[in-house]
Amino acid sequence: MTSSVFSQLILPLSLIIIMFGMGLSLRLADFARVVKFPKAVAVGLVGQMLFLPAVGFLIAAWVLQEPALAVGLVLLAACPGGTTSNLITHQARGDLALSVTLTAITSVLTIITIPFIVGLALTTFADTQVPVELPVPRMMLTLFVITLLPISIGMVLRRIWPVFAQKLEPKISIFGAVFLALLIVIILYEQGDTLAGQITSTGPASLLLNISMMLLGFWMARGFGLNADQSTSITVEVGIQNSTLAILIATTVLGNAAMAIPAAIYSLAMYLTGGSLIVWRRYKLKQQVV
């Protein structure tokens, strides 16, 4: 997969389109909300930028025996939230403005943090089958081109042609969901004979990362006195990561398709847990009305 047209061309271009779509949903005011909601944003950032990678390391060391899978899980934990987290927050009736703000800020910060965290994971879990040398400049450039640049272009387009941007953004969101499903199928298919063993070993780790971080995000939010809507947003942002970005880095920058397995399985898990959260939140809100 790492040498195919799909991973070298189609995957990056598709992710650029998805990030462009995210930019269409953002405004400069989304970044300014840091001042308006400092406590909520701070809780979300600490959960996602500090606790999430730390828990990823712990689970990888505890559950995963294969170094490539361990690095892949940490890579996933290092990624920012994505459009999926915003969608789930919206459906769960959370604070969408807070969700979008956290996604926007972490998408910028992770250009710097992902190379550092992944480099540490490669050193920690390295063996003869996993490359220790990390192309940091290339990774940072890739992250800039794949994430920050298309997001910025999307934001500019929204400011210039807001009506057109609002019509285009939902279509790109649908494209992103369909493409992610296709991506998961391709990755799982290309693993061939090793797939069953990888799913058996990686599935529990990916699900544990997803559930544990959603619970931690919720407990942090409630512990700091945030309201139910804000707590829902932080639960999703801390627990739902941009798995498509993790897959791209694993297959193109790191050149190891096995490292993409945790992200592929995680993509399935996050829709199950995210859907459960949506059902629970709507049930609770319905009870309040009654």
Side-chain angles (χ1 to χ4, degrees):
M1 183 175 183
T2 56
S3 61
S4 68
V5 174
F6 183 86
S7 63
Q8 297 296 326
L9 181 62
I10 298 177
L11 176 54
L13 286 177
S14 298
L15 191 53
I16 287 173
I17 293 172
I18 294 170
M19 293 296 102
F20 170 72
M22 180 189 296
L24 293 176
S25 68
L26 296 176
R27 299 173 298 173
L28 288 176
D30 296 322
F31 293 89
R33 289 194 187 98
V34 176
V35 178
K36 190 174 182 181
F37 308 112
K39 184 167 69 171
V41 172
V43 171
L45 289 178
V46 169
Q48 190 163 6
M49 303 302 295
L50 295 179
F51 286 111
L52 179 57
V55 172
F57 265 102
L58 290 174
I59 294 175
W62 177 37
V63 179
L64 298 174
Q65 301 298 319
E66 185 177 335
L69 298 178
V71 172
L73 189 74
V74 174
L75 166 61
L76 173 65
C79 285
T83 54
T84 301
S85 65
N86 302 149
L87 175 62
I88 292 175
T89 297
H90 175 66
Q91 293 297 321
R93 304 295 189 261
D95 187 333
L96 184 58
L98 175 60
S99 175
V100 170
T101 299
L102 288 170
T103 297
I105 295 173
T106 54
S107 294
V108 175
L109 294 178
T110 49
I111 292 178
I112 299 173
T113 59
I114 286 178
F116 171 76
I117 294 171
V118 173
L120 184 59
L122 286 169
T123 303
T124 303
F125 301 110
D127 71 353
T128 56
Q129 297 178 344
V130 181
V132 177
E133 293 297 328
L134 180 68
V136 174
R138 180 189 170 196
M139 180 177 286
M140 294 183 70
L141 178 61
T142 300
L143 288 168
F144 173 78
V145 173
I146 295 295
T147 60
L148 188 56
L149 184 59
I151 287 174
S152 301
I153 294 174
M155 292 177 64
V156 171
L157 184 62
R158 171 168 177 162
R159 184 173 180 83
I160 298 174
W161 295 298
V163 176
F164 174 73
Q166 290 174 5
K167 291 181 179 179
L168 183 60
E169 192 272 331
K171 296 180 175 61
I172 296 180
S173 295
I174 294 173
F175 165 80
V178 173
F179 179 77
L180 178 58
L182 175 64
L183 186 58
I184 293 170
V185 171
I186 291 175
I187 289 173
L188 297 181
Y189 173 77
E190 290 201 353
Q191 289 306 295
D193 297 336
T194 63
L195 177 60
Q198 289 174 332
I199 290 179
T200 301
S201 61
T202 310
S206 296
L207 184 60
L208 180 59
L209 177 67
N210 179 219
I211 294 176
S212 63
M213 289 312 303
M214 290 182 74
L215 290 174
L216 180 59
F218 177 78
W219 289 332
M220 288 179 61
R222 300 305 283 176
F224 279 93
L226 301 182
N227 62 41
D229 292 350
Q230 292 173 326
S231 298
T232 299
S233 298
I234 291 176
T235 298
V236 175
E237 285 297 316
V238 174
I240 304 294
Q241 307 313 309
N242 191 338
S243 54
T244 311
L245 179 61
I247 292 170
L248 180 137
I249 295 174
T251 56
T252 60
V253 179
L254 299 176
N256 192 322
M259 291 182 184
I261 292 294
I265 297 176
Y266 180 93
S267 300
L268 301 174
M270 72 181 184
Y271 282 110
L272 294 174
T273 56
S276 299
L277 176 63
I278 292 171
V279 172
W280 179 76
R281 273 283 293 170
R282 292 196 174 190
Y283 171 74
K284 297 294 289 185
L285 291 172
K286 185 177 179 180
Q287 280 191 323
Q288 292 177 7
V289 172
V290 175

